[in-house]
Amino acid sequence: MSLSPMLTEFLNRDCCYDSLFDRCSPATLFRFGRTCQLARRALKDYSRRAYNINKHLSRFFTEPLEFRVLQAQTNAVVSGSTALQFMDRTLYEESDLDLYVTCPYAAQVCDWVIAYGGKGYVFDLSKSYGIEEGAIDNEVSNWNSYRWNRVTRVFNFKSTVPSGANVLKIQVIVTMSSPMDCMLGFHSTVVMNAITYRAAYALYPKGSFEEHRALVCDTKEVRHEQAIEKYKRRGWDIQTAISEDEQSDLLSAFRFENRWVADEKTWVIPFDIDGISEKNKCQSDGEHARTLARALPLSIDPFSLNSFSLFKAPENALVEMKFTLLKPDFFEHRYTACMDFSLKMSFMFHMIQCMKSNPDIAVFPESRKCDLAMASWKSICMRDCTCNMCGDEDERSGHARLSSCPAFSALFSLPGNLASSLFLEN
């Protein structure tokens, strides 16, 4: 069926379809783009501009691509309202940028913000958390003194370059284990979004961007009433509980289940990383810009290897994110894991440790091989796992289910199996 001349003219003018698309939800945009070739072309053009990560980051950095190179080198993750604004195609003028990083890279990231951020950033001691007078390098080396909702330090920076009515601010938030661990401790699902060097992720896109609902989570450590009220003013319907039907509904935005970052319920906006690859190879700017050896190729985002579960908190009516941390010494990164995956990995790690202590096995690999195997393990478990463990299930009953899980069998029945492939035999 041919389009009317008026609609054809409309879809050929970005000044026309931009105003329409700006008012559409992500799902509506997706459905509209499937109607015809002209609509798909118009949506592609709109998305290229609306979801331009370099443009979005240029509000805070004069060289956003250089910042993304820094992210690739340090696995720093942008989260909070900045990630939400990017995916919601909106702007909160008063908002700052929250950058989550682990302790070993904190000094490098803070130094980069001051030296290369490009907006005249200076360290703001009065607004920082867990910081004493002294150099930033000294502070990040003494990070065990403070504990706050999985955060050890908060370094605040403010721009000295005028930018409208508000002063640009960046918070470098140093996490105890990983950015994902910290993100799963946020006050509600609406802010569980992240921007890495590789992609933008929304863990609960249907609830956040289609239904404009925010499900409050039990953080156990910090009260977040003011933050929750802020998002209520911004238009989100704040919910502290969901019905049993919604907990089990396959189409529910907040179904109680095991989840993976980048699974079918995650909204992922991939970024072009060609420029990052080149700069990561060629960068040579003294100590600051040393290129770090990555345990994973740039095509595999460590953030995407995390998993978690949404369940009802046993102490109250709120929901909570349940997960364990995978942190063996043969991984470069720490990963969050839902119970299904965690129990399988406990067996895998035990086998690796046994192999490591075997004198007949000569070479224990560098972390590069272990983290790369993690990506393979994730793929197998996402595809084949049938455990479906409950949030309050104990470890013993969980072990009983493993013997009948196809994913568990696959992990140990591959040619040479994945654990054995990490070693070189004499």
Side-chain angles (χ1 to χ4, degrees):
M1 189 175 88
S2 62
L3 298 177
S4 69
M6 182 178 295
L7 183 55
T8 300
E9 180 72 12
F10 179 86
L11 292 176
N12 276 305
R13 292 179 177 269
D14 56 12
C15 59
C16 295
Y17 59 70
D18 278 3
S19 61
L20 172 64
F21 291 166
D22 282 343
R23 291 163 175 78
C24 293
S25 70
T28 300
L29 289 175
F30 175 77
R31 289 190 289 265
F32 184 83
R34 298 183 67 183
T35 57
C36 68
Q37 186 175 359
L38 195 56
R40 183 165 61 252
R41 188 180 69 185
L43 178 59
K44 184 177 181 180
D45 172 67
Y46 172 81
S47 298
R48 177 179 54 82
R49 291 176 287 109
Y51 298 112
N52 184 328
I53 187 57
N54 291 333
K55 179 181 178 181
H56 183 74
L57 293 173
S58 65
R59 181 185 172 212
F60 291 94
F61 307 110
T62 55
E63 296 292 340
L65 186 60
E66 296 289 348
F67 170 72
R68 291 174 57 209
V69 172
L70 177 75
Q71 284 187 285
Q73 292 176 343
T74 63
N75 291 300
V77 174
V78 175
S79 192
S81 65
T82 300
L84 176 65
Q85 291 170 75
F86 175 71
M87 307 196 86
D88 199 36
R89 293 164 291 154
T90 189
L91 175 65
Y92 306 141
E93 291 286 353
E94 76 285 0
S95 65
D96 53 16
L97 182 140
D98 295 337
L99 184 60
Y100 291 81
V101 65
T102 54
C103 188
Y105 300 113
Q108 181 184 353
V109 170
C110 290
D111 287 345
W112 188 96
V113 170
I114 293 175
Y116 299 92
K119 302 282 186 176
Y121 287 108
V122 295
F123 178 52
D124 186 1
L125 177 63
S126 65
K127 300 294 183 180
S128 298
Y129 165 82
I131 312 297
E132 304 295 339
E133 290 284 355
I136 291 177
D137 285 3
N138 293 334
E139 289 299 335
V140 298
S141 66
N142 179 31
W143 64 281
N144 287 308
S145 305
Y146 295 85
R147 293 291 183 269
W148 169 68
N149 200 28
R150 306 178 176 98
V151 170
T152 62
R153 290 286 193 275
V154 177
F155 296 95
N156 276 271
F157 301 89
K158 61 181 179 182
S159 172
T160 57
V161 176
S163 177
N166 298 288
V167 177
L168 293 176
K169 298 176 183 177
I170 294 176
Q171 285 191 322
V172 177
I173 301 166
V174 186
T175 69
M176 293 171 61
S177 54
S178 74
M180 184 64 173
D181 175 31
C182 195
M183 196 171 97
L184 292 176
F186 286 172
H187 57 74
S188 67
T189 55
V190 71
V191 284
M192 292 184 180
N193 314 291
I195 296 172
T196 70
Y197 73 93
R198 185 74 180 84
Y201 304 89
L203 299 185
Y204 290 95
K206 184 177 181 180
S208 297
F209 305 113
E210 299 300 314
E211 302 169 348
H212 260 243
R213 292 192 295 158
L215 185 59
V216 176
C217 301
D218 184 11
T219 62
K220 291 186 172 62
E221 299 173 31
V222 178
R223 301 178 68 87
H224 293 292
E225 286 84 355
Q226 288 186 342
I228 292 172
E229 183 61 30
K230 178 173 63 177
Y231 283 95
K232 183 177 180 179
R233 293 194 304 269
R234 289 173 174 172
W236 272 269
D237 179 18
I238 307 299
Q239 295 188 299
T240 57
I242 56 176
S243 68
E244 291 187 4
D245 287 343
E246 189 170 9
Q247 294 170 16
S248 58
D249 185 353
L250 290 173
L251 299 179
S252 166
F254 303 116
R255 185 171 186 259
F256 285 7
E257 60 184 337
N258 294 321
R259 291 284 311 280
W260 291 87
V261 174
D263 62 13
E264 70 279 358
K265 290 195 173 181
T266 307
W267 180 22
V268 182
I269 303 177
F271 302 147
D272 181 2
I273 61 169
D274 288 344
I276 293 177
S277 301
E278 290 304 312
K279 285 182 176 292
N280 199 48
K281 290 176 184 176
C282 302
Q283 215 172 35
S284 57
D285 190 18
E287 261 183 50
H288 158 73
R290 60 191 175 91
T291 299
L292 303 179
R294 289 173 52 87
L296 292 165
L298 282 173
S299 59
I300 300 178
D301 189 346
F303 189 81
S304 70
L305 303 183
N306 291 290
S307 60
F308 60 98
S309 306
L310 177 66
F311 288 106
K312 182 179 177 299
E315 299 88 355
N316 50 49
L318 297 175
V319 302
E320 68 172 321
M321 301 294 169
K322 293 184 70 69
F323 58 93
T324 58
L325 279 171
L326 304 180
K327 47 183 179 181
D329 56 7
F330 41 80
F331 275 7
E332 178 184 355
H333 309 293
R334 291 183 174 184
Y335 302 97
T336 62
C338 60
M339 179 182 287
D340 290 7
F341 190 63
S342 176
L343 288 179
K344 292 180 182 65
M345 290 301 97
S346 68
F347 277 88
M348 184 70 75
F349 296 158
H350 176 71
M351 186 166 70
I352 291 174
Q353 291 291 3
C354 291
M355 295 174 72
K356 183 179 178 182
S357 62
N358 189 333
D360 295 328
I361 301 176
V363 180
F364 185 71
E366 299 177 358
S367 61
R368 169 183 296 275
K369 297 179 181 178
C370 295
D371 284 69
L372 193 56
M374 175 72 174
S376 299
W377 296 337
K378 170 203 171 182
S379 297
I380 291 173
C381 289
M382 280 186 67
R383 183 186 67 235
D384 299 331
C385 182
T386 60
C387 292
N388 297 319
M389 297 177 191
C390 300
D392 57 354
E393 195 162 11
D394 60 32
E395 191 168 311
R396 181 177 298 179
S397 60
H399 286 160
R401 294 196 188 198
L402 288 178
S403 59
S404 60
C405 177
F408 185 68
S409 301
L411 288 174
F412 293 93
S413 62
L414 293 176
N417 81 57
L418 287 170
S420 298
S421 68
L422 302 179
F423 298 84
L424 299 176
E425 298 186 9
N426 281 334

